[in-house]
Amino acid sequence: MTVLVTGGTGYIGSHTCIELLNANHDIVVLDNLSNSNRVVLERMEKIAQTKITFENADLRDHAALEQVFKKHKISAVIHFAGLKSVNESISEPIDYYDNNISGTIILCKVMQKFSVKKFIFSSSAVVYGNPETVPIKEDFPLSTSNPYGQSKLMTEQILNDIFISDNSWQIALLRYFNPVGAHKSGLIGEAPGGTPNNLMPYISQVAVGKLDKLHVFGGDYDTPDGTCIRDFIHVVDLAKGHVKALNYFEQNKNKDVLTLNLGTGIGYSVLELINTFQKVTDHNIAYDIVARRPGDIVISYASPELAEKTISWKAEENLEDMCRDTWRWQSQNPSGYEAT
Ligand code: NAD
Ligand code: WQD
């Protein structure tokens, strides 16, 4: 089938495009390049050895989006496009709600007009707030304390309401835990603009010499080594989860919206990630333990059982693979896509 991938030149979108092509789907990539680069397309074409159809458009441009649906016979949409920084969302809430909510509503309107009703949405573990227990299951209470998280919760609600109004839609809400790693080719990976907010890109930029030292936020948490615990998941495993969800749509009539965690089910601490990265790359990561980062969740990891049961998806790559692949990407592209 032909899949429209919004945000398809972004970090997770680009890896998902490759897995869709590997599974013999046709793709149309739509992106406004606000947080990505045209070079990504060339890299994707090199990996897939095929031309990729690209639409340089903003989701909020209703007329442009209609043109895209007129031009291509789209059967399903995987919706990655949006803004994703928790901190920035607190200072720029209007931009966040506009991109993430208005963008999604316009997309849904156009999909409805063209009777395209297969929809996979990038949700996030951020919707669980601070969980009372782990592993986190999909039916845990939802809460969030920032506009980014709100935008994910609201979008989930909007999509649930669309399904209630018309159950011929097939909708998947995929809640990602902490995506890291890169494609094995070293050609595509995560390329944050400016200083990274997230742990893995920060570590890899210290390793490559772009940053001097990592600040580990908090060493006095109630965890075995005092640092926070996360469920790091290889971006290629995550990408494959989308292909599995599409397969599920083809084989089943949804009785409900499909809400699934995509994580490994294993929690590793910040120090465990640093140590593993050092071990597999043979690079020293200088770090200082500093004050806690306000708002951090202490322990977060998924129960991935429902995804395995429902769409037969399970993460395959381990923490060492994630570090090795991140390093291959970072060392081959020290400035991300910029220098190319
Ligand atoms: P990314 O920023 O690399 O990719 C998003 C892409 O969307 C970018 O290429 C950007 O240019 C594009 N975009 C943004 N607004 C747009 C608009 N209005 N119109 C068209 N294109 C637009 O981010 P990512 O890490 O690949 O994340 C993809 C999705 O997954 C996001 O929705 C994000 O919230 C969600 N998510 C990410 C993480 C993570 O840690 N990376 C975790 C959970 C959920
Ligand atoms: C992981 C751990 C930090 C940077 C964020 C978003 C979440 C989701 C994923 C989109 C924490 C510590 C980090 C650093 C550090 N994104 N850390 N030094 O906090 O789980 O989640 O990204 O949906 O919504 O909030 O990921 O990588 O920022 O942090 O010590 O320089 O690493 O304190 O314990 P997080 P992260």
Side-chain angles (χ1 to χ4, degrees), residues 6-14 30-37 55-61 79-85 98-100 103 121-126 148 151-152 174-180 189-191 198 235 238 242:
T6 77
T9 48
Y11 172 45
I12 306 170
S14 56
L30 180 144
D31 205 296
N32 66 359
L33 302 176
S34 60
N35 196 36
S36 54
N37 191 308
E55 297 287 352
N56 183 352
D58 192 298
L59 263 188
R60 295 160 298 177
D61 183 343
H79 178 34
F80 295 102
L83 304 180
K84 64 166 179 178
S85 156
D98 189 32
N99 267 278
N100 295 5
F121 174 62
S122 298
S123 190
S124 164
V126 75
Y148 169 72
S151 77
K152 292 295 177 196
L174 303 183
R175 295 175 176 159
Y176 315 152
F177 279 67
N178 288 62
V180 297
E190 186 170 16
N198 297 115
V235 65
L238 200 62
H242 297 73

Side-chain angles (χ1 to χ4, degrees), residues 84 86 123-126 148 152 176-179 196-200 202 214-218 228-230 232 270 293 296-297:
K84 64 166 179 178
V86 167
S123 190
S124 164
V126 75
Y148 169 72
K152 292 295 177 196
Y176 315 152
F177 279 67
N178 288 62
N197 293 313
N198 297 115
L199 181 61
M200 185 65 117
Y202 207 111
L214 170 73
H215 300 285
V216 171
F217 300 133
C228 292
I229 291 176
R230 293 290 183 274
F232 300 102
V270 171
R293 182 170 72 177
D296 262 341
I297 308 298

Side-chain angles (χ1 to χ4, degrees), residues 181-252:
H183 192 264
K184 304 270 179 217
S185 62
L187 288 170
I188 56 171
E190 186 170 16
T195 307
N197 293 313
N198 297 115
L199 181 61
M200 185 65 117
Y202 207 111
I203 290 177
S204 65
Q205 292 197 16
V206 171
V208 86
K210 274 186 83 181
L211 296 168
D212 287 343
K213 193 181 263 191
L214 170 73
H215 300 285
V216 171
F217 300 133
D220 56 354
Y221 285 104
D222 186 14
T223 59
D225 66 21
T227 63
C228 292
I229 291 176
R230 293 290 183 274
D231 186 336
F232 300 102
I233 169 144
H234 198 295
V235 65
V236 173
D237 275 331
L238 200 62
K240 289 177 179 166
H242 297 73
V243 178
K244 293 278 192 172
L246 269 187
N247 292 347
Y248 180 88
F249 284 173
E250 286 183 284
Q251 288 155 12
N252 299 273

